Amino acid sequence: ELQQKVEETEMLKMELQMLETERVRLSLVEEKLMDVLKLLQKLQDLNISKRALGKILLSTLESCRDPQPGKAQLFEVLDTLQQELTACELLHKQPMEQAQSPRSLSNPLVISC
């Protein structure tokens, strides 16, 4: 009976360790997903075209077609997507370029008060 309790305790310890490992993995995935969503929000604020965003997504999926051994495919896709979005030219524009609004491109004869 004592041996059975020891075995049960060992099994529970192993299950707890597996749950903790999974919790950490999910936490990393959640963090990476939040980073990707923030980058997507920035690009939306910069009015990136759907076509450009589609190219980024397709490039990401193409580069993750053959999963690397030992790396979770979901995390690999999120990581690659984050890298692709971070490399997007629109995110690296100078502040002056971003400051130009459609209003500055309107009719120069209109004088605002």
Side-chain angles (χ1 to χ4, degrees), residues 102-113:
R103 210 180 307 150
S104 66
L105 300 176
S106 63
N107 189 343
L109 299 176
V110 175
I111 299 173
S112 63
C113 297

Side-chain angles (χ1 to χ4, degrees), residues 3-17:
Q3 180 65 27
Q4 185 180 4
K5 294 283 186 189
V6 169
E7 289 174 3
E8 285 178 14
T9 304
E10 289 300 317
M11 289 292 289
L12 288 174
K13 284 182 181 179
M14 286 176 36
E15 285 182 30
L16 183 61
Q17 186 177 11

Side-chain angles (χ1 to χ4, degrees), residues 21-32:
T21 301
E22 185 67 10
R23 186 192 67 75
V24 169
R25 186 187 73 78
L26 288 174
S27 178
L28 291 172
V29 168
E30 180 183 25
E31 186 178 310
K32 187 63 69 173

